[in-house]
């Protein structure tokens, strides 16, 4: 059986993904979600698309993936945004949460098992309980301002993920640290004591009114929903330190070791040499690009088609290349559908199609996987161009279509389904289904041509006919 290998940020080595003893083929996956103070930009979506590819490929390989993604709906930025807008925190973040869920659909991202929000009362309670345990065990202390800090000197493993030299950390952060009342500059806040700028935002705790720090939010939500040890934890490289480092420290001082078995991080989406970021102002939201006429599937293609650890520079030319590649795939898909006609028997063509999945087993090597896809496209198109020997038979075309359906389970790039199929096309499709049921193949093909003349494509899939705009 194929094994999936991934580069574990913790060991900096390729490792085989294996479920834990007694877990069957189930893997838990925690992915850091958006801070909902604005629309997510497509740099954020590079991370989410990479995580979606990972989940889909694992599912193709027979794993059950239990994925949780958090929503950070309380932090400095959300509080500032709500304050400036003059609304309550929940009213400020709600539209951004809703927009995020719409964006997930537009980009065809699989839905996670849960999307806990940091302000959910049960999550706040978990955070307070975790901080309480850290206090009891001497891993945390209350500073004069009332805030609670994690004492990194109490956890020898601190720095193991980011491979951070704490001596340097200290000197480089000395200036910024003057404002803090901490034992050591690298100590991070678990609970931030309420200050007047927080307005109505705050929860009661054994250490006074305040709010959780960002790192404890993820630690509590991850372990609360997925258990003390999580199989895979993902995010962008900017999350490695200090966010994920802090998550490890908090969780391993409270619960099981290790907190996470495999850490995976994607490289940044860049714009002219810099990370795409809200703070840098060099970002596009998904909506910006949809308004410019790009589709969710084109943006998905542009984000998915470069290896997750590789440099990806965002350009409009990149989107145009995605559009062109999808156009070739669509034309091929349609041609295979025509060649397969009513043939239902499938024959595996003599092409190296399994290589697609094998490439993804190798740390999600999407470039090699897409090379297999396009090589298969070229070869089978060449065969379909021929009229004599070497022609692709309908059964082989059916075999390729079935393979393509599997490939698409991972890539999710099939043509946009559209909700507004005109009634005459619907009627023709119903008549075609009836013709096929009666094995009237000629009639069914004629109706397909009539549908095509109206600008629609009908495809036969395992789940019946699918109609898309041509
Ligand atoms: P944030 O909303 O800033 O907490 O980010 C949410 C997720 O997006 C995190 O996993 C980040 O690592 C990731 N992220 C942010 N900016 C980028 C970028 N330019 N490229 C790739 N991932 C990013
Ligand atoms: Zn997180």
């Amino acid at each position: 059986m194929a094994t999936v290998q991934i580069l574990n940020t913790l060991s900096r080595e390729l490792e085989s993904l294996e479920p834990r003893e007694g877990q069957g083929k189930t893997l838990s996956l925690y992915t850091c979600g958006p801070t909902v103070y604005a629309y997510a930009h497509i740099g954020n979506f590079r991370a989410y698309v990479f995580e979606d590819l990972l989940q889909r490929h694992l599912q193709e390989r027979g794993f059950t993936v239990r994925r949780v993604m958090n929503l950070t709906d309380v932090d400095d930025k959300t509080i500032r945004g709500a304050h400036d807008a003059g609304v309550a925190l929940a009213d400020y973040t709600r539209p951004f949460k809703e927009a995020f869920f719409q964006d997930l659909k537009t980009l065809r991202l699989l839905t996670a098992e849960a999307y806990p929000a940091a302000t959910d009362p049960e999550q706040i309670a978990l955070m307070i309980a975790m901080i309480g345990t850290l206090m009891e065990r001497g891993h945390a202390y209350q500073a004069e301002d009332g805030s609670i800090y994690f004492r990194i000197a109490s956890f020898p493993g601190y720095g193991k993920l980011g491979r951070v030299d704490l001596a340097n950390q200290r000197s480089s952060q000395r200036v910024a640290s003057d404002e803090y009342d901490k034992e050591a500059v690298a100590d991070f806040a678990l609970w931030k004591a309420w200050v007047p700028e927080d307005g109505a935002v705050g929860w009661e705790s054994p250490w006074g009114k305040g709010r959780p720090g960002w790192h404890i939010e993820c630690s509590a939500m991850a372990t609360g929903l997925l258990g003390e040890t999580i199989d895979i934890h993902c995010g962008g490289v900017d999350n490695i330190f200090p966010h994920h480092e802090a998550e490890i420290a908090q969780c391993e001082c409270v619960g099981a070791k290790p907190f996470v078995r495999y850490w995976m991080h994607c490289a940044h989406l860049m714009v002219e040499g810099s990370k795409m970021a809200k703070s840098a102002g060099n970002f596009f939201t998904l909506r910006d690009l949809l308004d410019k006429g790009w589709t969710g599937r084109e943006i998905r293609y542009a984000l998915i088609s470069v290896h997750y650890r590789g440099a990806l520079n965002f350009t409009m030319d990149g989107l145009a290349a995605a559009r062109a590649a999808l156009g070739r795939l669509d034309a091929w898909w349609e041609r295979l559908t025509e060649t397969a006609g009513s043939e239902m028997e499938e024959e595996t063509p003599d092409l190296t199609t399994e290589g697609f999945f094998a490439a993804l087993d190798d740390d999600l090597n999407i470039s090699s996987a897409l090379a297999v896809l396009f090589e298969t496209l070229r070869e089978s198109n060449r065969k379909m161009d021929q009229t004599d020997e070497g022609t692709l038979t309908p059964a082989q075309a059916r075999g390729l279509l079935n393979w393509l359906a599997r490939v698409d389970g991972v890539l999710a790039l099939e043509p946009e389904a559209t909700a507004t199929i005109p009634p005459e096309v619907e009627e023709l499709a119903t008549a075609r289904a009836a013709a096929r049921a009666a094995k009237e193949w000629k009639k069914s093909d004629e109706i397909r041509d009539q549908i095509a003349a109206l600008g629609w494509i009908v495809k036969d899939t395992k789940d019946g006919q699918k109609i898309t705009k041509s």
Side-chain angles (χ1 to χ4, degrees), residues 284 286-295 316 319 323:
F284 286 98
L286 185 59
R287 282 121 206 281
D288 294 335
L289 296 179
L290 297 177
D291 287 346
K292 288 181 189 294
W294 301 101
T295 64
M316 292 299 163
L319 284 175
R323 179 171 286 176

Side-chain angles (χ1 to χ4, degrees), residues 34-41 44 77 276-283:
T35 306
V36 282
Y37 74 106
Y39 296 117
H41 59 69
N44 302 128
K77 288 179 283 196
M276 181 178 284
K278 280 166 204 148
S279 54
N282 61 354
F283 65 92

Side-chain angles (χ1 to χ4, degrees), residues 282-344:
N282 61 354
F283 65 92
F284 286 98
T285 65
L286 185 59
R287 282 121 206 281
D288 294 335
L289 296 179
L290 297 177
D291 287 346
K292 288 181 189 294
W294 301 101
T295 64
R297 115 190 235 252
E298 288 164 347
I299 299 160
R300 179 177 172 91
Y301 188 96
L303 294 176
I304 215 171
S305 57
V306 172
H307 188 262
Y308 73 95
R309 289 190 286 107
L312 173 52
N313 204 28
F314 176 78
T315 61
M316 292 299 163
D317 284 350
L319 284 175
R323 179 171 286 176
L326 287 168
R328 288 177 67 201
L329 281 175
D330 290 351
W332 177 48
W333 210 316
E334 204 179 326
R335 199 174 177 197
L336 284 175
T337 306
E338 270 169 30
T339 305
S342 51
E343 180 62 64
M344 280 299 152

Side-chain angles (χ1 to χ4, degrees), residues 130 218-220 223 228 246-256 259:
M130 261 185 115
C218 273
S219 282
T223 54
E228 282 185 344
E247 280 190 47
I248 294 176
Q250 295 163 151
C251 290
E252 297 194 354
C253 289
V254 167
F259 161 47

Side-chain angles (χ1 to χ4, degrees), residues 4 32 81 102 136 143 146 154 165 176 206-207 225 263 269 272 295 306 313 321 324 344 373 394 398 439 441 457:
V4 180
C32 286
Q102 270 174 15
E136 270 162 44
S154 75
D165 173 355
W207 319 283
L225 286 153
W263 286 97
L269 181 66
E272 286 164 15
T295 64
V306 172
N313 204 28
M344 280 299 152
L373 178 63
R398 177 64 58 211
K439 299 202 189 314
W441 307 122
I457 300 169

Side-chain angles (χ1 to χ4, degrees), residues 70-87:
N70 70 295
L71 303 172
T72 301
D73 60 354
V74 56
D75 77 327
D76 294 346
K77 288 179 283 196
T78 44
I79 292 174
R80 201 179 313 123
H83 176 265
D84 293 350
V87 296

Side-chain angles (χ1 to χ4, degrees), residues 101-109 286 290 295-297:
F101 288 114
Q102 270 174 15
D103 290 353
L104 293 184
K105 279 209 186 88
T106 305
L107 287 174
R108 306 171 175 203
L109 301 172
L286 185 59
L290 297 177
T295 64
R297 115 190 235 252

